[in-house]
Amino acid sequence: SIKMDLLHSNGVLIIQHLQRDYRAYQDFLNFMSHVGDPRNIFSIYFPFWFQLNQVVGTKMIWVAVIGDWFNLIFKWILFGHRPYWWVQETMIYPNQSSPCLEQFPITCETGPGSPSGHAMGSSCVWYVMVTAALSYTVRWKDKSAVTLHRLTWSFLWSIFWIIQISVCISRVFIATHFPHQVILGVFAGILVAEAFEHTPAIQTASLRMYIKTNLFLFIFALGFYLVLKLLDIDLLWSVPKAKKWCANPDWINIDTTPFAGLVRNLGALFGLGLGINSEMFITSCKGKNSCKMSFRILCIAASLATLQLYNFVKIPTHTEYLFYILSFCKSAAMPLTVVALVPYCVHLLMRTTEKKLN
């Protein structure tokens, strides 16, 4: 449509401006793009918060998974182009003089562009973290504490918006998203996070509930894909465009395809449900050691260190279905490690140490 082409062309001008005038900040902007990567939720934010507050950690996984699922459905509905291929195919520029947008190793996302998954994931998770932190200060009653709460409120929400704006600018800078796509992603993420502020049932969900939720999310997404495919609508239309217009074929990663994100998130949710409903979790995180700050600190350190080892596990990509199966297993293993395996090992270590001291 003419209005969308105008929106895209204005977005291209903004990208060109950023790439020209903010070149000196390239490393910082690339770093902020990594900060917004939804995968950091499972490997950094979740292990830290879950050991400090299991309610917040559990909510974080649910928000991340459901938010990314909605992001996938929105992407399939909105058919959003990405700047790095749109400028090569649009007919609105005269004499085929399309603008030159620089690409980077993290530019070549293969899914549709609207709304931005990085912006949506970053906003929903940071929203959970900020509201969780403020929930501690809102209980203060005396006058000086109320003033401190207001200052803390202003500081944390300022940090929140600084991070979201930085993530948005970084995604536009690398020509992965148009400005309207990152803005839409931020506000969609906030809406998802706010919805889970009023959904306490997730804290007491059984393993059966986790499995039912996983099956619903998978069957709905797969069914939606198959129905539209029968109507001759290809929801994977963006993958060949990414392969065609990416400046370097090595930058194309199967991990950025729509179904890869779905499988990764379903694995994480299943791993959380398996861990929370395990005997190891009940023994360690519900025992007397769970109240000790030393126990929590050890769990945080061990969880973060252990999860970094998962980065060295490279899943073979030559067979797509095998990749999805192994990706699901790897994603399930990460929250299971944080929730059950690491706390149980720390629990046994502390119990052994106490017996020796006695």
Side-chain angles (χ1 to χ4, degrees):
S1 67
I2 297 176
K3 289 184 178 179
M4 189 56 68
D5 283 342
L6 182 62
L7 191 62
H8 285 162
S9 61
N10 288 334
V12 168
L13 292 176
I14 294 173
I15 295 170
Q16 288 182 302
H17 170 71
L18 289 173
Q19 291 186 344
R20 181 182 67 248
D21 297 341
Y22 288 80
R23 183 72 187 186
Y25 304 100
Q26 177 183 334
D27 292 338
F28 171 75
L29 292 173
N30 285 338
F31 170 75
M32 290 308 300
S33 187
H34 285 295
V35 167
D37 193 331
R39 284 169 288 196
N40 289 333
I41 298 168
F42 308 117
S43 61
I44 299 176
Y45 305 141
F46 168 68
F48 178 82
W49 273 99
F50 186 84
Q51 306 302 350
L52 288 181
N53 189 316
Q54 293 166 14
V55 172
V56 177
T58 301
K59 186 194 300 180
M60 186 176 292
I61 290 291
W62 277 89
V63 165
V65 170
I66 301 301
D68 209 49
W69 183 83
F70 273 115
N71 182 263
L72 173 65
I73 301 301
F74 289 152
K75 283 180 184 293
W76 280 348
I77 293 174
L78 297 176
F79 286 85
H81 290 272
R82 293 186 185 270
Y84 75 92
W85 76 56
W86 181 82
V87 294
Q88 305 291 343
E89 297 187 343
T90 182
M91 304 298 293
I92 69 169
Y93 296 107
N95 301 323
Q96 297 181 340
S97 57
S98 59
C100 180
L101 299 182
E102 186 174 358
Q103 296 184 24
F104 304 87
I106 56 177
T107 294
C108 298
E109 299 272 355
T110 57
S114 186
S116 167
H118 280 65
M120 192 168 173
S122 175
S123 65
C124 70
V125 169
W126 278 92
Y127 188 93
V128 170
M129 290 192 287
V130 169
T131 53
L134 290 174
S135 67
Y136 290 102
T137 62
V138 76
R139 302 168 190 164
W140 300 339
K141 299 298 182 182
D142 58 273
K143 191 173 294 186
S144 60
V146 170
T147 302
L148 182 59
H149 168 71
R150 289 174 180 171
L151 290 173
T152 305
W153 187 95
S154 300
F155 173 75
L156 290 179
W157 283 118
S158 296
I159 294 296
F160 171 85
W161 284 111
I162 288 172
I163 290 174
Q164 303 321 310
I165 292 170
S166 299
V167 170
C168 289
I169 291 175
S170 71
R171 301 301 290 171
V172 174
F173 174 83
I174 63 175
T176 296
H177 288 291
F178 292 102
H180 70 278
Q181 295 173 343
V182 293
I183 294 171
L184 179 60
V186 168
F187 287 103
I190 291 173
L191 287 175
V192 172
E194 180 60 28
F196 275 89
E197 291 292 320
H198 311 284
T199 315
I202 60 174
Q203 302 299 335
T204 56
S206 63
L207 180 58
R208 178 177 293 183
M209 183 62 185
Y210 276 91
I211 294 174
K212 286 181 178 179
T213 304
N214 257 16
L215 287 175
F216 171 78
L217 297 177
F218 177 74
I219 291 172
F220 185 95
L222 183 61
F224 187 69
Y225 169 79
L226 293 176
V227 167
L228 290 184
K229 192 171 184 179
L230 288 174
L231 297 175
D232 204 27
I233 300 175
D234 183 14
L235 293 181
L236 300 181
W237 60 272
S238 60
V239 178
K241 289 183 181 293
K243 291 179 178 179
K244 181 178 181 180
W245 297 114
C246 184
N248 186 338
D250 293 335
W251 294 347
I252 295 289
N253 192 339
I254 191 175
D255 201 31
T256 65
T257 58
F259 278 112
L262 175 65
V263 169
R264 182 172 60 245
N265 287 307
L266 294 182
L269 189 62
F270 177 72
L272 175 66
L274 199 62
I276 284 180
N277 292 279
S278 68
E279 287 296 326
M280 287 188 290
F281 172 77
I282 295 171
T283 301
S284 56
C285 294
K286 296 296 184 180
K288 62 178 183 179
N289 281 331
S290 62
C291 298
K292 297 178 181 178
M293 184 54 65
S294 58
F295 173 81
R296 297 184 180 187
I297 292 174
L298 282 173
C299 286
I300 291 173
S303 296
L304 290 172
T306 305
L307 291 186
Q308 300 316 305
L309 298 177
Y310 282 95
N311 294 329
F312 296 101
V313 179
K314 301 301 180 184
I315 301 175
T317 58
H318 58 276
T319 305
E320 193 170 357
Y321 292 111
L322 178 62
F323 171 82
Y324 290 147
I325 293 171
L326 295 179
S327 180
F328 178 89
C329 295
K330 178 181 176 181
S331 299
M334 295 176 73
L336 182 62
T337 299
V338 173
V339 172
L341 296 178
V342 166
Y344 186 70
C345 291
V346 172
H347 166 74
L348 293 179
L349 177 65
M350 293 183 69
R351 190 174 68 176
T352 303
T353 304
E354 287 173 358
K355 286 182 178 179
K356 289 181 178 179
L357 292 175
N358 293 334

